[in-house]
Amino acid sequence: MAEADRAEDKKPTSDEAHSAFARPSGTGTDAPEEDQPTSEFAFPDGMAAQPAEPEGSAFAPPATYSGRHSPPAYTPGHGFPVARMPESPWQDRMRTMLRMPVDVRPVPEPVQKQSEAGPAVGRVLDLTLRIGELLLAGGEGAEDVEAAMFAVARSYGLDRCEPTVTFTMLSITHQPSLVGDPVSASRTVRRRGTDYNRLAAVFRLVDDISAHEIDVSLEEAYRRLAEIRRNRHPYPGWMLTAAAGLLAGAASTLVGGGVLVFLAAAIGAVLGDRLAWLCAGRGLPEFYQFVVAAMPPAAIGVALKLADIDLRASAVITGGLFALLPGRALVAAVQDGLTGYYITASARLLEVMYLFIGIIMGVLVVLYVGLQLHAKPNPDEVLLITQRPLIQIAASMVLVFTFAILLQQERSTVWIVTLNGAVAWVTYGALHYAGNIPPVPSTAIAAGLVGLFGQLFSRYRFASALPYTTAAIGPLLPGSATYYGLLLIAENRLSEGLGSLVNAAAIALAIAIGVNLGSETSRLFMRIPGAASAATRRAAKRTRGF
């Protein structure tokens, strides 16, 4: 027996014995290993026998602290339970895990097949970054981009990953173990464009990768991603230009214009769109494209006043503004800010500000020239909107329909978002015109319904929420308040004009906050994985110091 014991002592120890937390040899008999390792915050054995630290010492534990009798909620001796999350869409599962600390995330169950040597870390990280790049370039929120990146990496066996998303930079870090060297990779987003058809295809790819019943190898994922990049837009260029014209015409009808006003606004928007395309082809920045695109509708409105034609020139200019206001970027910026991604939100808000200033410059230049030519625009007619419920509902649906085409949405989602936009306008009209509620709260409530229904539609179809919400906010955009403020500024009534622009900014923020609040409210109707109810869902960020 003694020889057997000596032979047993000479056996090579396992790799765990070399861990920085292992007890050095010769210091005593090791206790039998448990199923789960002890937390590094657990009270060490034998410390209770040490003399207590003097009162007030930095090393003295609090009076109520007891390591041996600590509540299980903090350091359970049996380890954290393994949560299973196959019931909900991958967006909710990944978002929930991203909001957990690393040490309490559920143990992964790799969905895709791996070789015996383990996952190809470099290729998985590269695929993850390429997918995140397409989503971020398409206008997706930072939190949803991180959730998609985490879903891809986790599905291929890289569970200890931390994705990070900013406005133009994506990075991801994988650390195989506590003592292993981390591997990091990053990618820069240099071009951004609006193509919700491509965005939906990327979401389907991520959904297939994270699904348990579908096997998507790395090679297959790369092939599908290359096909998504090569796919053409679903609508030709002439259709996009026609959609811009119809959008402006519908917006002019929404604020009180007739048939001739519809035609004038449509012609101005088409000219502005073609000039913007020309500037884009010459490589001019987007700021100057918005300056040029805002000029033709304003010029047509001023020309109508100079010719003394009895038409609502203000409706023509307002319709052109509806086609240019950056509502999509504003909603994404506010969403990132409310979910705790302040750097990305600040950058997107700065982008919105520059685009808005470009629109202001284009319209103000034309209005100033018109005033010098003794055009006499009437600021009061901007606020006189004739209430025509049926015509306005039809105009709002045309506006949303054409807006969805401009966003390059899938044909199957265009009709759904059109109905969602009609519900939003009916709600706004009932609250503001019939109920005499101020425009800001009316807009916020209508936008909340847009976010609620859009999020429910997206979860039903396991897709992004943007195609169901962005176009639906089109009728709520503050085109009239924006033009009213610009006209007052052009007439040198700065205080009143700035007040109207502030009102327009408040309406725009009400739209963005309402959409986000409606999206969050929709989670009350869905089962959140890893929690007993949606009420226990963790916040996006903890910013109060605990």
Side-chain angles (χ1 to χ4, degrees):
M1 289 295 293
E3 293 179 358
D5 292 340
R6 285 194 296 270
E8 185 71 17
D9 293 338
K10 292 180 181 180
K11 287 182 178 180
T13 57
S14 64
D15 292 339
E16 295 177 356
H18 299 286
S19 171
F21 303 102
R23 178 182 298 177
S25 59
T27 58
T29 304
D30 291 333
E33 292 185 358
E34 299 177 353
D35 292 337
Q36 297 290 338
T38 305
S39 170
E40 57 268 32
F41 303 105
F43 206 87
D45 294 333
M47 181 169 258
Q50 300 292 334
E53 293 286 341
E55 185 70 23
S57 171
F59 302 96
T64 58
Y65 181 82
S66 175
R68 295 183 180 277
H69 306 287
S70 59
Y74 295 98
T75 54
H78 53 78
F80 291 98
V82 177
R84 307 297 179 190
M85 300 187 176
E87 299 87 1
S88 299
W90 64 266
Q91 299 100 310
D92 294 326
R93 301 200 309 267
M94 297 303 113
R95 186 183 293 110
T96 301
M97 284 188 282
L98 279 174
R99 294 177 179 182
M100 293 180 180
V102 179
D103 56 343
V104 300
R105 287 175 183 169
V107 177
E109 293 182 359
V111 176
Q112 309 304 330
K113 294 181 179 179
Q114 302 174 18
S115 62
E116 296 181 358
V121 177
R123 297 194 68 197
V124 172
L125 295 184
D126 178 70
L127 175 67
T128 301
L129 289 173
R130 291 178 182 273
I131 289 177
E133 178 190 9
L134 285 181
L135 292 176
L136 187 62
E140 190 62 73
E143 187 178 32
D144 290 328
V145 175
E146 283 195 1
M149 295 172 64
F150 189 71
V152 174
R154 190 176 176 88
S155 297
Y156 286 109
L158 305 184
D159 59 307
R160 300 182 64 88
C161 281
E162 286 297 335
T164 304
V165 175
T166 58
F167 185 56
T168 58
M169 176 71 71
L170 302 100
S171 62
I172 186 169
T173 301
H174 168 64
Q175 188 170 11
S177 64
L178 289 174
V179 295
D181 295 330
V183 180
S184 299
S186 62
R187 195 171 182 87
T188 302
V189 179
R190 302 195 180 277
R191 294 188 61 185
R192 293 186 302 276
T194 303
D195 190 344
Y196 283 0
N197 183 50
R198 177 179 295 176
L199 193 70
V202 176
F203 262 75
R204 283 193 294 269
L205 174 59
V206 177
D207 185 37
D208 290 343
I209 291 176
S210 58
H212 289 265
E213 64 275 7
I214 303 176
D215 180 26
V216 181
S217 63
L218 274 174
E219 291 74 15
E220 176 68 14
Y222 268 108
R223 185 190 64 79
R224 289 180 58 178
L225 192 63
E227 290 180 354
I228 293 173
R229 284 181 174 274
R230 289 195 300 265
N231 280 347
R232 294 183 177 181
H233 299 310
Y235 308 106
W238 65 267
M239 185 177 291
L240 297 180
T241 301
L246 290 176
L247 190 154
S252 66
T253 305
L254 200 64
V255 295
V259 177
L260 294 180
V261 172
F262 180 98
L263 294 176
I267 293 173
V270 168
L271 292 176
D273 182 76
R274 286 294 90 191
L275 288 176
W277 276 101
L278 181 63
C279 294
R282 297 296 184 270
L284 288 179
E286 196 172 15
F287 174 82
Y288 298 106
Q289 298 175 28
F290 272 78
V291 173
V292 172
M295 287 183 174
I300 291 179
V302 171
L304 292 175
K305 282 296 181 181
L306 289 174
D308 290 331
I309 299 177
D310 189 16
L311 290 178
R312 294 195 54 163
S314 61
V316 175
I317 302 176
T318 301
L321 291 178
F322 266 90
L324 296 175
L325 292 177
R328 174 185 60 85
L330 178 65
V331 171
V334 174
Q335 177 184 355
D336 287 343
L338 294 178
T339 52
Y341 295 84
Y342 301 116
I343 296 177
T344 307
S346 301
R348 280 180 164 165
L349 284 175
L350 188 62
E351 179 190 32
V352 171
M353 185 188 72
Y354 272 106
L355 299 181
F356 194 69
I357 291 175
I359 297 172
I360 290 175
M361 288 182 59
V363 175
L364 277 180
V365 167
V366 175
L367 290 179
Y368 181 78
V369 173
L371 290 175
Q372 299 305 312
L373 296 176
H374 304 290
K376 297 179 180 179
N378 182 14
D380 294 332
E381 76 174 5
V382 180
L383 305 178
L384 299 176
I385 300 177
T386 306
Q387 298 182 25
R388 301 172 295 176
L390 296 180
I391 295 178
Q392 288 177 316
I393 292 175
S396 67
M397 296 181 69
V398 173
L399 192 154
V400 175
F401 182 84
T402 52
F403 196 2
I405 293 177
L406 288 175
L407 294 174
Q408 302 280 2
Q409 292 190 196
E410 292 180 303
R411 292 177 173 85
S412 60
T413 65
V414 170
W415 300 106
I416 298 176
V417 72
T418 300
L419 294 177
N420 200 10
V423 171
W425 177 254
V426 169
T427 303
Y428 173 79
L431 293 175
H432 180 56
Y433 295 119
N436 295 323
I437 298 177
V440 174
S442 301
T443 302
I445 295 173
L449 290 179
V450 169
L452 173 63
F453 294 139
Q455 194 67 232
L456 292 177
F457 277 128
S458 69
R459 289 302 180 265
Y460 175 73
R461 303 189 66 172
F462 291 79
S464 171
L466 292 180
Y468 301 97
T469 57
T470 305
I473 65 173
L476 305 177
L477 292 175
S480 298
T482 302
Y483 171 63
Y484 184 66
L486 296 180
L487 184 57
L488 292 176
I489 292 176
E491 293 182 344
N492 204 23
R493 299 161 62 180
L494 295 180
S495 59
E496 299 177 49
L498 291 177
S500 181
L501 290 181
V502 170
N503 183 39
I507 293 175
L509 289 177
I511 293 173
I513 295 175
V515 170
N516 183 267
L517 183 60
S519 299
E520 295 297 318
T521 304
S522 68
R523 302 181 192 282
L524 298 176
F525 305 97
M526 296 183 295
R527 178 179 179 182
I528 300 300
S533 65
T536 59
R537 176 171 171 264
R538 294 178 180 268
K541 302 287 181 185
R542 294 191 178 273
T543 57
R544 297 176 59 190
F546 55 84

